Amino acid sequence: MKKVYSDAAAALDGLLFDGMTIMAGGFGLCGIPENLITALRDSGTRDLTVISNNAGVDDFGLGLLLQTRQIKKMISSYVGENKTFEKQFLSGELELEFNPQGTLAERCRAGGAGIPAFYTKTGVGTLVADGKDHKEFNGETYIMETALIADVSLVKAWKADTEGNLVYRKTARNFNPMMATAGKVTIAEVEEIVEPGELDPDHIHTPSIFVKRLIKGDHEKRIEQRTTRA
Amino acid sequence: MAWTREQLAERAAKELQDGFYVNLGIGIPTLVANFIPDDMDVTLQSENGMLGMGPFPREDEVDPDLINAGKQTITELKKTSYFSSADSFAMIRGGHINLSILGAMEVSEKGDIANWMIPGKMVKGMGGAMDLVAGVQRVVVIMDHTNKAGESKLLKECSLPLTGTGCVDRIITTLGVFDVVEGGLKLVELAPGVTLDEIAQATEASYKVADSVAA
């Protein structure tokens, strides 16, 4: 089966519908599927629930989908870098579910691994625990968190082979590996696509079984906080 | 004289021990990295997926694929490893990190901490803070003693939504150092020149004074 598509729009074709749930990898603007996000915006698909650690900035990443009001709900751990987000949320236009970052990562991992729920001590005694099942293990209290899956997961990797095996680079890995496992359909955008055998099988981060479609993108890789020393 | 931001970070660096794996929060805690003694082996974890964080890059070393949890560009070291967010929080939640140094808006005398939300005003999110305070072996808060209105940030009860309950071990404020002990707080150190009276005036939480400080 051919997994490599010509561009982001082609890779999304036939998968999108209003009200769907999307996972998007990345931490801040690092390791985000920027080509697929732009194509999703151009598709005009609406009422999206988007699961992503952050919400981009006003004019880049998921911020693009906020500007066009295509997002109905975000599930994130931190959205502090996006003023459009704050405005839409405080005015009641946008739903928001805050998850602790580790809980969000584990909910995605669980979703991909066929584990419907798990217990964690993160968030016990806070707003996050409201309405959730509490249970004691070895004398400590834990809360139950449920798994997340997406209709489509959009991930960014450094390299892929044509089979869909993925390798990430440095801290651009972040949420991408878990989200790649948790999509009913996962689309990866990468900087380079090589032939099978060119990636060391011992160094594959995401095995091909999790990746249904693949594109080579052009990446701006915008830096949020360029910090240097003399 | 109350401690400045730099002095707070310098004081907090005394919490480090040789061989520690440490997560530093965003803001003043990040400055603690500047005060790690040269002869001490401390490995910094960044929750976005990096163990062994190096200094900020020189201009020609900037790499958009290499950032810290504050989204700042950073460098790697020879000992560095990279991993997914799930592995990162396995380190944190699983109790493998020795020390977390965090900022806070409020801390209660029971060791509750609030640092992620002001209802109706500030919508940013908790990021990894709830996982850190729940899972890391020792949690040290560094913060101003009072807020911009001059009110104590050390309280009997936190008024803001909590990040975690009973999880703070030590608080280093601009005026002194408090430990969370059985039954409340204990003042264990004063910033140079700060008096017990000044602390008493600026503190809502109840606290005991350690013998070494009272003397």
Side-chain angles (χ1 to χ4, degrees), chain A residues 2 14 85 99 121 127 221:
Chain A
K2 191 178 167 310
F85 189 105
N99 281 197
K121 60 186 167 186
L127 290 178
K221 293 198 191 180

Side-chain angles (χ1 to χ4, degrees), chain B residues 141-159:
Chain B
V141 165
I142 57 178
M143 65 178 192
D144 289 325
H145 198 93
T146 53
N147 64 21
K148 282 180 186 139
E151 299 157 342
S152 177
K153 293 173 65 165
L154 277 175
L155 302 168
K156 293 188 189 305
E157 297 275 351
C158 292
S159 65

Side-chain angles (χ1 to χ4, degrees), chain A residues 111-122:
Chain A
I115 296 168
F118 59 93
Y119 285 90
T120 176
K121 60 186 167 186
T122 300

Side-chain angles (χ1 to χ4, degrees), chain A residues 69 84-94:
Chain A
R69 294 183 155 70
T84 311
F85 189 105
E86 197 161 24
K87 205 166 61 188
Q88 289 184 17
F89 174 72
L90 289 173
S91 71
E93 288 174 76
L94 185 65

Side-chain angles (χ1 to χ4, degrees), chain A residues 30 77-79 86 98 101-102 120-122 169-171 173-175 221 223 225-230, chain B residues 56-59 62-63 65-67 71-73 76 82 85 89 93 123-128 131 134:
Chain A
C30 183
S77 87
Y78 187 84
V79 297
E86 197 161 24
F98 272 133
Q101 196 176 135
T120 176
K121 60 186 167 186
T122 300
R169 183 170 177 275
K170 302 187 188 287
T171 55
R173 190 184 316 185
N174 54 65
F175 282 81
K221 293 198 191 180
I223 294 173
Q225 306 280 348
R226 174 182 283 265
T227 309
T228 58
R229 67 188 157 125
Chain B
F56 294 125
R58 299 185 197 285
E59 194 57 45
V62 168
D63 183 340
D65 288 338
L66 183 44
I67 63 169
K71 283 97 177 179
Q72 295 170 305
T73 45
E76 66 185 22
Y82 299 109
S85 303
F89 283 91
R93 199 191 305 101
V123 190
K124 287 184 187 291
M126 70 290 279
D131 306 279

Side-chain angles (χ1 to χ4, degrees), chain B residues 7 29 32 73 106 118 130 156 179:
Chain B
Q7 288 166 332
V32 175
T73 45
E106 297 176 345
I118 303 173
M130 284 192 184
K156 293 188 189 305
D179 280 343

Side-chain angles (χ1 to χ4, degrees), chain B residues 27-97:
Chain B
I28 305 178
T30 305
L31 300 176
V32 175
N34 299 335
F35 297 99
I36 301 172
D38 288 337
D39 59 351
M40 194 182 275
D41 179 24
V42 168
T43 304
L44 299 178
Q45 200 251 18
S46 189
E47 66 263 27
N48 54 316
M50 178 182 198
L51 193 61
M53 193 162 52
F56 294 125
R58 299 185 197 285
E59 194 57 45
D60 61 354
E61 296 172 327
V62 168
D63 183 340
D65 288 338
L66 183 44
I67 63 169
N68 65 17
K71 283 97 177 179
Q72 295 170 305
T73 45
I74 204 79
T75 57
E76 66 185 22
L77 304 169
K78 281 183 180 162
K79 66 179 171 184
T80 296
S81 58
Y82 299 109
F83 35 83
S84 72
S85 303
D87 286 341
S88 178
F89 283 91
M91 295 176 193
I92 291 168
R93 199 191 305 101
H96 305 282
I97 307 274

